[in-house]
Amino acid sequence: MERILKQRDRLLGISARLIGLVCSAASLVLLALGDPRPGLLLVVAPGYAVLVLALIRLGATRSMVWPVVAMVAGLATAVLVRLGTVGALDALIGTGAPFPVGAGAVDAVRLLVAGAIAAVSVVLTISLGRMLVLVGAFLAVLVTSVTIFTDDGSLGLVALSVIAGWTGLTISGAVLSAGLLRAARRVTSIGRAHRSERQASETEAQRRQGARLLHDTVLATLTLLAHSGVGVSRDALRRQAGDDARLLRQLRLSPTPISMSQGSDDAGSAGGARSDGLEAVRTRFERLGLDVEWHGTGIVSLRPDRREAFLLAISECLENVRRHSGLTEATVTISEDETRVRALVTDNGVGFEPAAVPAGRLGFRESIVGRIEEAGGTARVFSAQGSGTTVVLEVPR
């Protein structure tokens, strides 16, 4: 928010500077055309110079000194211009004969009081204290303008110009300031919403990954124990339970999602699917009594996150074969081309009807399809009762 406020003040200062400089230049041009006496121009030139300097500094700093300097210099210059045009400075200017004053000289004063000096109102709308200074400055300019034009027929026009100029620029500054603050609040609100959404997404990702890891490891081990470890040696069960215990500790202590390869220090890790190759998958299922025939490449050439998702999905496919197919054999064929890596996991078991799987069974949907889709790939299953099952996994390089 502090940065937005600085940018707002900077924008208001630049706006005030541009308006004030344009009006000052136009006033000087009108004065030169309406009363081209060199002496008068020399007398008022220092006032214009100080006014221009104050306006330039007005856009570069928040100090209240420069608005005050701009107002004092502008008022002094307007008074000098007016006195010069009515002949009050003839002795100082050095002209011997009366000079016919054009309307341009009067317009030069109007531009000073209603434009160049009024430009400071743009930067005086951002706080209550500055608004009080703004009211005082406006009254001072209005009283001075009425005083120097008391005996002139253009008094009403000058007063109206002062009121219109100061009112218009004040409203412009207030609208611009309020608009920037509203935009800043909306940007802040959007930022908070984005952070909340990102945190929710990260939390959901952690929850889903933790659920997948538990499903693929701890629940699989508990299922083995529930069936008295049929087909699995006692030593293999003991090692698997130890790996699962390490995974549970890491899930409890890790503040970020962990990979299955972080859950163990050896090839037979908690998930069995280390991200550096297929050997861990082979080792795990050999230990669990599943005879897997491997075909194709022995190296998965993917970036680490996609490689791990690919290997974990293969591991879960094989776990499904071990648990549900009714057989102890499976075939895995891995192939790759320039754009994709593909795996076919096949068994000749009892098969199933994919459409008949209850929605609450999340093993295939999360541990296989969810992982592969998050890696940018696709997972398809082909199966029927009594005809075995084939799962096709494809992940882009």
Side-chain angles (χ1 to χ4, degrees):
M1 191 65 178
E2 181 67 23
R3 183 178 179 183
I4 294 295
L5 291 177
K6 289 181 179 178
Q7 292 297 323
R8 177 203 64 181
D9 295 346
R10 178 174 175 272
L11 180 58
L12 291 177
I14 291 174
S15 301
R17 178 203 302 173
L18 292 177
I19 295 171
L21 290 177
V22 169
C23 290
S24 298
S27 172
L28 187 59
V29 170
L30 287 175
L31 178 62
L33 295 176
D35 191 343
R37 289 174 292 178
L40 179 58
L41 295 177
L42 288 175
V43 169
V44 299
Y48 276 102
V50 174
L51 174 60
V52 168
L53 175 62
L55 290 171
I56 291 175
R57 295 299 301 163
L58 190 67
T61 177
R62 294 189 61 187
S63 174
M64 283 295 296
V65 172
W66 297 109
V68 173
V69 171
M71 187 188 70
V72 172
L75 279 179
T77 304
V79 172
L80 289 175
V81 171
R82 179 58 180 165
L83 293 177
T85 58
V86 297
L89 299 179
D90 285 349
L92 180 62
I93 295 174
T95 57
F99 186 86
V101 178
V106 177
D107 291 337
V109 178
R110 290 171 54 203
L111 268 176
L112 275 175
V113 296
I117 305 175
V120 302
S121 64
V122 175
V123 299
L124 297 178
T125 58
I126 61 176
S127 66
L128 179 59
R130 291 190 172 219
M131 288 292 291
L132 295 176
V133 175
L134 170 60
V135 172
F138 167 70
L139 293 176
V141 172
L142 181 61
V143 170
T144 302
S145 301
V146 170
T147 301
I148 61 178
F149 280 94
T150 300
D151 299 328
D152 193 283
S154 58
L155 172 61
L157 183 60
V158 172
L160 182 61
S161 298
V162 171
I163 295 173
W166 280 77
T167 301
L169 290 174
T170 300
I171 293 175
S172 299
V175 170
L176 183 59
S177 178
L180 288 172
L181 288 178
R182 283 197 301 271
R185 284 193 290 268
R186 290 177 181 175
V187 169
T188 303
S189 176
I190 292 173
R192 284 197 298 266
H194 173 70
R195 286 192 297 273
S196 298
E197 183 178 356
R198 184 180 63 189
Q199 291 172 356
S201 298
E202 292 174 351
T203 301
E204 176 65 15
Q206 293 179 28
R207 186 195 67 78
R208 292 179 66 183
Q209 187 172 31
R212 290 168 184 166
L213 292 177
L214 289 174
H215 175 274
D216 298 352
T217 56
V218 177
L219 293 181
T221 304
L222 291 176
T223 301
L224 276 174
L225 293 173
H227 290 84
S228 302
V230 175
V232 181
S233 68
R234 180 173 298 180
D235 182 62
L237 276 176
R238 185 180 296 110
R239 292 178 60 190
Q240 189 69 26
D243 292 338
D244 292 345
R246 284 192 293 271
L247 175 63
L248 287 174
R249 283 195 298 271
Q250 199 154 9
L251 281 172
R252 180 172 59 86
L253 298 175
S254 177
T256 58
I258 65 172
S259 65
M260 291 183 70
S261 60
Q262 293 173 309
S264 177
D265 296 328
D266 58 10
S269 63
R274 288 177 53 181
S275 60
D276 57 356
L278 296 171
E279 187 60 33
V281 182
R282 293 192 181 101
T283 302
R284 177 191 178 192
F285 287 99
E286 286 176 3
R287 188 174 69 193
L288 294 178
L290 183 67
D291 184 14
V292 183
E293 186 176 352
W294 298 86
H295 299 280
T297 180
I299 300 176
V300 179
S301 303
L302 292 169
R303 72 188 195 194
D305 58 330
R306 290 178 177 174
R307 182 170 61 227
E308 181 158 355
F310 186 70
L311 295 175
L312 287 169
I314 292 175
S315 181
E316 179 61 15
C317 289
L318 293 174
E319 179 65 24
N320 286 340
V321 172
R322 190 187 66 79
R323 293 172 58 186
H324 304 300
S325 70
L327 300 176
T328 58
E329 299 91 16
T331 301
V332 177
T333 303
I334 298 177
S335 60
E336 58 184 357
D337 54 31
E338 295 180 355
T339 60
R340 286 183 170 270
V341 176
R342 181 181 295 105
L344 278 72
V345 183
T346 305
D347 70 80
N348 295 319
V350 297
F352 68 101
E353 292 293 340
V357 177
R361 299 290 296 274
L362 301 179
F364 181 79
R365 184 177 304 167
E366 284 294 328
S367 296
I368 299 175
V369 177
R371 278 196 177 108
I372 295 297
E373 289 183 349
E374 286 181 3
T378 58
R380 293 171 290 170
V381 59
F382 303 93
S383 184
Q385 289 288 349
S387 300
T389 302
T390 297
V391 179
V392 181
L393 309 175
E394 291 184 322
V395 176
R397 284 186 173 280

